[in-house]
Amino acid sequence: MDLWLIKKFITDALREDIGEEDITTQILVSPDLSYRKAKIVAKSTGILAGIEIAREIFHFLCPDTIFGNSYKDGDKFNSGDTLLELEASPQAILKGERVALNFLQRLSGIATLTGKFVKMVSPYGVKILDTRKTTPNLRLLEKYAVRVGGGLNHRINLSSGIIIKDNHIKIVGGLDKAIKIAKQKAPPFTKIEVEISNLDELKYIIENKVDMVMLDNFSYQELKEAIKTIRNKSRQTLIEVSGGVTLENAEKIAKLKPDFISVGGLTHSAAGVDISLEVI
Amino acid sequence: MDLWLIKKFITDALREDIGEEDITTQILVSPDLSYRKAKIVAKSTGILAGIEIAREIFHFLCPDTIFGNSYKDGDKFNSGDTLLELEASPQAILKGERVALNFLQRLSGIATLTGKFVKMVSPYGVKILDTRKTTPNLRLLEKYAVRVGGGLNHRINLSSGIIIKDNHIKIVGGLDKAIKIAKQKAPPFTKIEVEISNLDELKYIIENKVDMVMLDNFSYQELKEAIKTIRNKSRQTLIEVSGGVTLENAEKIAKLKPDFISVGGLTHSAAGVDISLEVI
Amino acid sequence: MDLWLIKKFITDALREDIGEEDITTQILVSPDLSYRKAKIVAKSTGILAGIEIAREIFHFLCPDTIFGNSYKDGDKFNSGDTLLELEASPQAILKGERVALNFLQRLSGIATLTGKFVKMVSPYGVKILDTRKTTPNLRLLEKYAVRVGGGLNHRINLSSGIIIKDNHIKIVGGLDKAIKIAKQKAPPFTKIEVEISNLDELKYIIENKVDMVMLDNFSYQELKEAIKTIRNKSRQTLIEVSGGVTLENAEKIAKLKPDFISVGGLTHSAAGVDISLEVI
Amino acid sequence: MDLWLIKKFITDALREDIGEEDITTQILVSPDLSYRKAKIVAKSTGILAGIEIAREIFHFLCPDTIFGNSYKDGDKFNSGDTLLELEASPQAILKGERVALNFLQRLSGIATLTGKFVKMVSPYGVKILDTRKTTPNLRLLEKYAVRVGGGLNHRINLSSGIIIKDNHIKIVGGLDKAIKIAKQKAPPFTKIEVEISNLDELKYIIENKVDMVMLDNFSYQELKEAIKTIRNKSRQTLIEVSGGVTLENAEKIAKLKPDFISVGGLTHSAAGVDISLEVI
Amino acid sequence: MDLWLIKKFITDALREDIGEEDITTQILVSPDLSYRKAKIVAKSTGILAGIEIAREIFHFLCPDTIFGNSYKDGDKFNSGDTLLELEASPQAILKGERVALNFLQRLSGIATLTGKFVKMVSPYGVKILDTRKTTPNLRLLEKYAVRVGGGLNHRINLSSGIIIKDNHIKIVGGLDKAIKIAKQKAPPFTKIEVEISNLDELKYIIENKVDMVMLDNFSYQELKEAIKTIRNKSRQTLIEVSGGVTLENAEKIAKLKPDFISVGGLTHSAAGVDISLEVI
Amino acid sequence: MDLWLIKKFITDALREDIGEEDITTQILVSPDLSYRKAKIVAKSTGILAGIEIAREIFHFLCPDTIFGNSYKDGDKFNSGDTLLELEASPQAILKGERVALNFLQRLSGIATLTGKFVKMVSPYGVKILDTRKTTPNLRLLEKYAVRVGGGLNHRINLSSGIIIKDNHIKIVGGLDKAIKIAKQKAPPFTKIEVEISNLDELKYIIENKVDMVMLDNFSYQELKEAIKTIRNKSRQTLIEVSGGVTLENAEKIAKLKPDFISVGGLTHSAAGVDISLEVI
């Protein structure tokens, strides 16, 4: 990820947290105090994501910050691990602490949850995909965290490719018609996926040879049948299973060997990982 | 909440989701199609937050959108409830759908979780506070969702007041010293809170009469003793309990009758509520 | 195209042209003068692109502007044709004139040039593609003008898909290696194209089955041979011819029946079409 | 030109070209690869403009970029000349290439075309002026390129001075009236020019002594007569010839010795110069 | 003045004053209360400037605001005069009050002070000019207020024309040299003024025929002599007197009949006029 | 103050003053001239505020600027004192001069005026407060200048705390009611102040125990009685005197020993201090 693409987002977040001034720090801590050491410490297990952002924050507030040992994004950590050592002006440490942790906690939460799904389905050759159910204006970072956790990104946004969903079909007036228009008009470098919600619709996929099919909210039995049919009749179509996937049922689905399982919860419901900062 | 304060945030989120263009919609759906009805439907129970933002999104994309029945922020809903009816250009419905839902799911998730804590502690006269552990650049909205769920907001940002925490104390060189400086230099309209982590530090609170004390990560026994001591010796000091509060232990803590219980998880770990949009 | 996505770009252009104030208009023309009619008139032949932007400019400067007859984007026009009639406050007409024309002239210039290429190659079933050789910060509009002129868009930007070019190959250390890495790591919804510059490299395309191949700066004889080979041995690979295509040689190339011919000059060297505004 | 004034414009252009990420580079090229040399090479003859922007782009993406030999803005180049040598991280070279070239090609195209006009008219003591017919939001750069090519800038924008044109005259209700109002109300530091379109209007210029007159779309005979009259009767008025000036007729006009010839095509129709980047 | 050019400045000012929320209004006043009348009332005498901005603020916060009687910019007012009547949502009135008044007080303060100078010098045919000594980022508005008060604007910014000042002369190495370079290189539509600080330098002005001369910090006797000399020997040069001009000495200077007297204090030291808002 | 919070404001101010280019400097001064020394010199007495901004401006325009002796914010200066020595590229000195001085003059003007009030009232233990009557979009800097001058800041903006004023009371329908609602609904970290305008309203303050009371536009006799009453009956309530306070009457009021005197004129009517820059 290019940090410069999100630099303004990071400074906006600092501005959001500081408001007009960090009045506690301004009153208690002279800007001229000599530098202090601090460490960012994990309070639970997980997969790290966002450490470059944390570094950027302290570097921004104190360009002379010295960084010591550091975990890298993608590293696994346990409770008590020191994820990053730094030495900086006390004002910078205090002003940057909360925002750095807020980024780390959320992004590591996503990477950690993604990692759990990946671990569960990868033995079956299945890959985990994210969705567009991300936090407003945080998508780039959340999709990055999914990659860090071992997942793959589905569409970044609506210009990344064509997915025909139920609401499109209702408006166009039929799945078959929608696929045909899309295949005719799509620019050359754009893939086409179709979301179907029952076995009957399978035939349109097979006839029209789309790049990818999303089996949405199928029962286990339907999934089994749909995947078998597609593998037989439309070998080049990639298969994505979607809807209601949890850590409880992911492995069972993976055994059916779709190409991908997509999980909205990776980004809309990952709990933050507990991480703190301690001045030494 | 003043919608205009976040209007750019909303259009940025739309831009994030659309990228350069919604290629599926552009190809499949004429901009001149006659208006269609759609409804936003709850897929689980919860407390609604963000409905004005959803309306704003469709209104922005299609200024002639007609809105029908609508739940209001703060309303409780059950699975299957129609939260908002609308009639708009099909392109606008398709382009706005995901972003509107992303706002609704996250904010309602926070309101719903807050509501659970509030229900649990309010019989004891205790109030739920949020923290600064919010999603970067989403704080105003997340704090709004906490209020919708019945909670109170603690500091919006670092300029909202003085809280002396462990890292400040380490840098200043002592809790007593830190409190004394703060009381002397604080501007007249600024409150002072002190975070303490053990019973020994209680004496400084009592001697110095700060506005509020945060009992952070105390054991149940320590909490009991601390609250009793403060109520006896420093009647005007408000008491906040913080650290490790969950739906499992919140009521037990509430019975000790602090003034406030603060819960970081309201904003850093609330799961999104399941809500969808259906074209009719 | 969603006008709101470029609204700021349009007002920035107005601000650029007005500077601090339109001093001529401020001094000569009272803001309260009654509305005047004006028309936008073509001074040469061409294909229109950008008329919605012109309307937006006058609407922005004078929300009560009444628009009369209007050509639509994609319409062909001859010298003397009235492209748009409007009635607005004289100040708005004078302030918006130059910027509206600057948009119209450039975008219509691109659409017109594209149309010439399309007319030349479409009888052979070949399609015209644009490139990333666009004016900085004007890409969305210029790619839109290409579509208006009958062309197709290639990648909008570097996130639209993978194209392996000569400089990538030099850095990776070999075409074969580059293709293999790309095929292994590409996300599921991303196509892969490879640029080759000689017949020897053809074999890697055929072995690795990429989605698309770009034959860059091939001689006519090489083109002939390359296209034949690919059609025989890798039927699913789309073929793009690129490099040095002009109105003089486009038809000859089209007769070789590649799928696409891409023309950088559509956007980097299209002359502006002459269009003016006359107060009536 | 102050680079900082356009720094955001440059990074916006990079952002436009990268979109969410340069997926080809991300997949193929490790960010840790050792630095590579590259050179920017001319593919035709021309006058260079924009080299500082190209340097800024690579410096921005890779602050440690080492620049070798470099042509300067205003230098003439031939096909095959190396315009700039650089050594930078491979990722930075690949990400910056297209945008750097897009700036160079357009600005050098303008400088080159301007240079041709200047060469043709300067023997007669005549100077080339640009117009406001520039690419939206690129005016500062395009006007800079005109200067690099040896031209002079006319108004930067509408606040640079007063030019009374045909549409103003129609609205005010007469040329004479318009000039009189302008002369009375103009602030002290603002010049006044009047555009006239026939010989009859000359008298108002002579009576009212404006700073400059624009002879717009005059025939050759009319030009001859107009210039003679003005030189005789209003010696201090500067003369600008405008409208339909091309490389074919510029010298003939120059022989009539107006002070200035203005050419809209410098900025609205200059073809991009062919320039490429090669990794070594 | 085009209001849209400063619309973002106005909403930024509202955002600055509201911060995250107007907590008093949010707590005390329901957003659904029926509309209330209010009036903006002068508490002293003066010349009004900024009333359109005040209207824009209330219109922005409450698009249905109804405006009643209103003074216009340039109108004189006395203490007790109602400058604007309005009827709007109580929340909008309370949120907009302070910012609307801050604009009105400052801009009317400038217009009022300008008006005093103008009244004093206009009987002698002398005009009042402003300077670039304006409040950072408020220049457009402050220069507008000067015009409202009857003054003329000098350079809007450094691109409005050439003024050669003492520091330029020191760096170039001589006044004569500086003037000669300027006259040779200045673009055709740019005026040239020279600041001189003693009588000796007068000769360069006369020899080189610049457009305007600024007599800076001259004694009264020197002024007298300088003006006489210029009027005799360089009739076309406009004369500006600058430096240390106050309401006490302006008339005396005006009697010497320079063309302009410039007063930095118009914008850097005008006291705010007392204006308040009363809910009725 | 964190300079990065206002960096964009500073560069916007530079952009405002430069416009499209500093044409005088561009024409007269080569960018390659060797560095020159310059000094910022006081032309009157005062208290310095804003020197870090001045340094930032020259550092921004010329990153290699060398700074020599420098006064610090809060230092007192006399006419003739050199406030800052610097050595930089001549272009940077000329381009930064006016903006640097504009910041210094305004902020030092505020600090100087504040210092006069502070000197007058501090012997009586009274403190000076500012108000929200600040220049639009300059509040952070102006409130900083008040602190530099020895004053304290009242609310930064409307989210800093609750002040119930006359217009709130009219809308709510009574002071007593307003106070009761505020006390019940205010978040825990927010103080409450009430503005009263006559002695009768005192009783509500005393009954309801608000944090602070503002005695607005009281006569001297009323002030005397009000302060006495509050000190007797509501010892914990802080007292602010407001309205019509000048350098003439401030000491007399201070003798009544309120806690605070607030002065709007600190920010809305402070005259700029005379400061200039001289190239050496």
Side-chain angles (χ1 to χ4, degrees), chain A residues 50-65:
Chain A
I51 198 71
E52 290 302 322
I53 297 173
R55 295 168 77 107
E56 172 67 18
I57 286 168
F58 293 108
H59 175 77
F60 174 81
L61 292 171
C62 174
D64 300 326
T65 300

Side-chain angles (χ1 to χ4, degrees), chain F residues 16-221:
Chain F
E16 179 191 54
D17 190 46
I18 285 180
E20 287 74 23
E21 61 176 338
D22 175 354
I23 194 166
T24 314
T25 299
Q26 185 201 300
I27 281 179
L28 293 181
V29 180
S30 160
D32 304 327
L33 277 192
S34 53
Y35 284 21
R36 287 291 289 265
K37 289 191 179 172
K39 56 181 179 176
I40 292 181
V41 182
K43 300 285 182 178
S44 65
T45 61
I47 295 175
L48 185 65
I51 198 69
E52 290 302 322
I53 296 174
R55 295 169 77 109
E56 171 67 18
I57 285 169
F58 293 108
H59 174 78
F60 175 80
L61 292 172
C62 174
D64 300 326
T65 300
I66 298 159
F67 294 102
N69 289 324
S70 175
Y71 278 50
K72 289 198 307 291
D73 279 1
D75 286 351
K76 281 171 189 157
F77 58 77
N78 292 308
S79 181
D81 288 2
T82 293
L83 303 174
L84 177 65
E85 295 172 351
L86 58 97
E87 189 171 348
S89 102
Q91 281 215 346
I93 294 173
L94 293 166
K95 288 177 187 170
E97 171 182 352
R98 184 73 262 140
V99 180
L101 294 178
N102 284 349
F103 274 105
L104 280 176
Q105 291 183 269
R106 174 164 302 270
L107 299 181
S108 300
I110 291 171
T112 302
L113 181 58
T114 304
K116 288 180 188 165
F117 277 101
V118 169
K119 193 175 170 190
M120 204 164 273
V121 308
S122 58
Y124 307 94
V126 177
K127 283 170 179 156
I128 292 295
L129 284 181
D130 56 22
T131 68
R132 284 167 43 238
K133 296 180 179 179
T134 55
T135 310
N137 292 320
L138 213 64
R139 185 170 294 168
L140 238 67
L141 286 172
E142 294 189 340
K143 294 223 159 209
Y144 166 77
V146 166
R147 293 203 303 271
V148 166
L152 285 175
N153 294 331
H154 209 315
R155 287 195 297 182
I156 299 178
N157 54 42
L158 293 167
S159 67
S160 309
I162 294 169
I163 304 187
I164 303 171
K165 299 201 166 194
D166 52 350
N167 283 333
H168 297 101
I169 295 166
K170 284 184 198 160
I171 285 167
V172 174
L175 174 56
D176 194 45
K177 184 175 168 196
I179 300 177
K180 288 203 161 91
I181 298 173
K183 292 204 67 162
Q184 177 196 341
K185 291 198 188 169
F189 226 53
T190 302
K191 289 201 173 179
I192 299 173
E193 178 172 11
V194 177
E195 174 191 297
I196 65 174
S197 48
N198 58 62
L199 291 169
D200 289 349
E201 296 175 329
L202 262 186
K203 61 175 175 291
Y204 302 118
I205 305 308
I206 291 163
E207 281 166 17
N208 290 295
K209 289 189 193 298
V210 297
D211 296 296
M212 200 154 152
V213 63
M214 185 196 303
L215 308 173
D216 192 46
N217 283 313
F218 273 52
S219 71
Y220 183 76
Q221 277 309 318

Side-chain angles (χ1 to χ4, degrees), chain A residues 2 4-5 140 147 156-157, chain D residues 14-15 20 60-61 95:
Chain A
D2 288 320
W4 67 269
L5 282 170
L140 238 68
R147 291 203 304 271
I156 299 179
N157 55 41
Chain D
L14 278 169
R15 198 179 286 263
E20 286 74 23
F60 175 80
L61 292 171
K95 287 176 186 171

Side-chain angles (χ1 to χ4, degrees), chain B residues 11 14-15 18-21 26 60-61 95, chain C residues 1-2 4-6 140 147 153 156-157 159:
Chain B
T11 52
L14 277 170
R15 198 178 288 263
I18 285 180
E20 286 75 23
E21 60 177 339
Q26 184 200 303
F60 175 80
L61 292 171
K95 288 176 186 171
Chain C
M1 203 186 44
D2 288 321
W4 68 269
L5 282 170
I6 55 156
L140 237 68
R147 292 202 305 271
N153 294 333
I156 298 178
N157 53 42
S159 67

Side-chain angles (χ1 to χ4, degrees), chain A residues 2-278:
Chain A
D2 288 320
L3 258 187
W4 67 269
L5 282 170
I6 55 158
K7 206 159 185 179
K8 182 170 185 309
F9 192 85
I10 295 174
T11 51
D12 280 353
L14 276 170
R15 199 180 286 264
E16 178 191 56
D17 190 46
I18 286 180
E20 285 75 22
E21 61 175 340
D22 175 355
I23 193 165
T24 314
T25 300
Q26 184 199 301
I27 281 178
L28 293 181
V29 179
S30 160
D32 305 326
L33 275 194
S34 52
Y35 284 21
R36 286 292 289 264
K37 291 189 179 175
K39 57 181 179 177
I40 292 182
V41 182
K43 300 285 183 178
S44 64
T45 62
I47 295 175
L48 185 65
I51 198 71
E52 290 302 322
I53 297 173
R55 295 168 77 107
E56 172 67 18
I57 286 168
F58 293 108
H59 175 77
F60 174 81
L61 292 171
C62 174
D64 300 326
T65 300
I66 297 160
F67 294 103
N69 290 322
S70 175
Y71 278 50
K72 289 198 305 292
D73 279 1
D75 287 350
K76 283 174 188 155
F77 57 79
N78 292 309
S79 181
D81 289 0
T82 294
L83 304 174
L84 178 65
E85 295 171 350
L86 59 97
E87 188 171 349
S89 100
Q91 281 213 348
I93 295 172
L94 292 166
K95 288 176 186 173
E97 170 182 353
R98 184 72 263 139
V99 180
L101 293 177
N102 283 350
F103 274 104
L104 279 175
Q105 289 185 271
R106 174 163 302 268
L107 297 182
S108 300
I110 290 171
T112 301
L113 182 57
T114 304
K116 287 179 187 165
F117 277 101
V118 169
K119 193 176 171 188
M120 205 164 272
V121 308
S122 58
Y124 307 95
V126 177
K127 283 169 179 157
I128 291 296
L129 284 181
D130 55 24
T131 68
R132 284 168 42 240
K133 296 181 178 178
T134 55
T135 310
N137 293 319
L138 213 63
R139 186 171 293 169
L140 238 68
L141 286 171
E142 295 189 339
K143 293 223 158 208
Y144 166 77
V146 167
R147 291 203 304 271
V148 166
L152 285 175
N153 294 332
H154 209 316
R155 286 194 296 181
I156 299 179
N157 55 41
L158 293 167
S159 66
S160 309
I162 294 168
I163 303 187
I164 303 170
K165 301 202 166 194
D166 53 349
N167 282 335
H168 297 102
I169 296 165
K170 283 183 198 161
I171 286 167
V172 174
L175 174 54
D176 193 43
K177 183 176 169 196
I179 300 177
K180 289 203 162 90
I181 298 174
K183 291 206 66 165
Q184 179 198 339
K185 291 197 188 169
F189 226 52
T190 303
K191 291 200 173 181
I192 299 173
E193 179 171 11
V194 177
E195 174 189 298
I196 66 174
S197 50
N198 59 61
L199 291 170
D200 290 348
E201 297 175 327
L202 261 186
K203 61 175 175 293
Y204 302 117
I205 305 308
I206 291 163
E207 281 166 18
N208 289 296
K209 290 191 192 299
V210 297
D211 295 296
M212 201 155 153
V213 62
M214 187 195 302
L215 307 173
D216 193 45
N217 283 313
F218 275 51
S219 73
Y220 182 75
Q221 277 309 319
E222 290 173 319
L223 270 187
K224 205 167 175 175
E225 189 174 334
I227 292 172
K228 193 174 148 198
T229 308
I230 299 165
R231 291 299 189 223
N232 281 338
K233 308 215 175 148
S234 183
R235 229 168 300 170
Q236 295 202 329
T237 303
L238 297 169
I239 302 173
E240 172 186 358
V241 173
S242 161
V245 182
T246 63
L247 285 171
E248 281 67 43
N249 64 12
E251 185 170 6
K252 191 175 170 195
I253 296 169
K255 287 182 179 166
L256 298 174
K257 301 215 173 178
D259 297 287
F260 309 101
I261 295 175
S262 59
V263 187
L266 296 185
T267 51
H268 71 58
S269 294
V273 166
D274 198 1
I275 298 175
S276 72
L277 181 146
E278 296 169 18

Side-chain angles (χ1 to χ4, degrees), chain D residues 175-244:
Chain D
L175 174 55
D176 193 46
K177 183 175 168 195
I179 299 176
K180 289 203 162 89
I181 298 174
K183 291 204 67 164
Q184 178 197 341
K185 290 198 188 167
F189 225 52
T190 303
K191 290 201 173 178
I192 299 174
E193 179 172 10
V194 177
E195 175 190 297
I196 66 174
S197 48
N198 58 62
L199 292 170
D200 290 348
E201 296 174 329
L202 262 185
K203 60 175 176 290
Y204 302 118
I205 305 309
I206 292 162
E207 281 166 17
N208 290 296
K209 289 191 194 297
V210 297
D211 295 297
M212 199 156 153
V213 63
M214 186 194 303
L215 308 173
D216 193 44
N217 283 312
F218 273 51
S219 71
Y220 182 74
Q221 277 309 319
E222 290 172 320
L223 270 186
K224 207 167 174 174
E225 189 175 334
I227 292 172
K228 193 175 147 198
T229 309
I230 299 165
R231 291 300 188 221
N232 281 336
K233 308 215 176 148
S234 184
R235 228 168 300 171
Q236 295 203 332
T237 303
L238 296 169
I239 302 174
E240 172 186 358
V241 173
S242 160

